[in-house]
């Protein structure tokens, strides 16, 4: 545990938030720090979440998207590879099980992707297939427009 007073030592797990004009906002991954990051950055809207892979440090903040459901009055699409979405559905069964309809459960709709470009409100996202050497994990970093 770091007890430094240096603000550079107050890092959180990385996520990426993109706002494209005034139309939509998108987040990459929901780390366990998602709630703190969203509050600190004053995120007002969340129109989609792209998951690069399903490790705990990338998905464990998913439950904290509920306030966006309430504020926006609808479901939030999540995107990921078949393996990633299957793992998320397994880890967060209560979210995807139709027997649970409490308002306290995030309302999400899943969309699978492979390596084909995805049009998201006029901005192109291209998943890039990547296999980590030390881990048997298929990851999909994203290229946004011409940036990766």
């Amino acid at each position: 545990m770091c007890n430094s007073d240096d603000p550079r030592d107050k890092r959180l797990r990385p996520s990426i938030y993109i706002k494209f004009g005034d139309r939509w906002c998108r987040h990459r991954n929901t780390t366990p720090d998602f709630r703190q990051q969203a509050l600190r950055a004053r995120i007002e809207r969340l129109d989609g979440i792209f998951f690069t892979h399903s490790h705990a440090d990338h998905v464990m903040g998913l439950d904290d998207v509920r306030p966006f459901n309430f504020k926006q009055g609808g479901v939030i699409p999540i995107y990921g590879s078949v393996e990633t979405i299957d793992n998320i559905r397994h880890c967060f069964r209560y979210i995807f099980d139709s027997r649970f309809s409490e308002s306290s459960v995030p309302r999400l709709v899943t969309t699978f992707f492979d390596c084909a470009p995805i049009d998201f409100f006029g901005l192109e996202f291209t998943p890039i297939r990547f296999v980590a050497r030390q881990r048997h994990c298929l990851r999909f970093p994203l290229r946004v427009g011409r940036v990766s």
Side-chain angles (χ1 to χ4, degrees):
M1 189 65 73
C2 179
N3 293 320
S4 170
D5 290 330
D6 187 333
R8 293 172 295 183
D9 290 330
K10 307 297 182 206
R11 296 182 298 270
L12 301 173
R13 293 168 191 94
S15 291
I16 298 172
Y17 179 73
I18 298 172
K19 183 174 180 183
F20 184 62
D22 291 332
R23 291 203 51 196
W24 65 273
C25 301
R26 170 235 165 239
H27 209 275
R28 191 202 77 183
N29 299 320
T30 53
T31 71
D33 303 318
F34 175 72
R35 181 180 180 278
Q36 184 178 357
Q37 291 169 329
L39 290 170
R40 184 173 69 181
R42 294 185 174 95
I43 294 176
E44 296 286 326
R45 185 161 185 85
L46 192 61
D47 291 323
I49 304 167
F50 286 84
F51 288 98
T52 57
H53 60 289
S54 59
H55 288 174
D57 63 330
H58 288 256
V59 302
M60 286 303 171
L62 184 58
D63 195 64
D64 290 322
V65 305
R66 290 173 297 153
F68 294 99
N69 289 129
F70 298 134
K71 185 174 185 178
Q72 294 168 205
V75 299
I76 296 173
I78 63 171
Y79 300 81
S81 67
V82 171
E83 176 187 20
T84 296
I85 296 295
D86 285 349
N87 289 339
I88 289 170
R89 284 179 168 276
H90 178 76
C91 184
F92 295 95
R93 283 187 182 144
Y94 67 95
I95 292 175
F96 302 100
D97 189 329
S98 61
R99 293 177 294 169
F100 302 107
S101 60
E102 295 94 16
S103 62
S104 61
V105 174
R107 294 188 333 250
L108 308 170
V109 60
T110 58
T111 301
F112 300 111
F113 62 63
D114 51 23
C115 292
I118 303 160
D119 180 77
F120 195 74
F121 294 103
L123 189 61
E124 186 176 273
F125 290 83
T126 305
I128 303 165
R129 186 180 195 85
F130 173 78
V131 179
R133 273 191 218 181
Q134 284 82 12
R135 299 184 183 116
H136 299 288
C137 173
L138 181 61
R139 298 177 186 200
F140 282 91
L142 296 167
R143 174 174 286 132
V144 182
R146 293 183 290 180
V147 178
S148 31

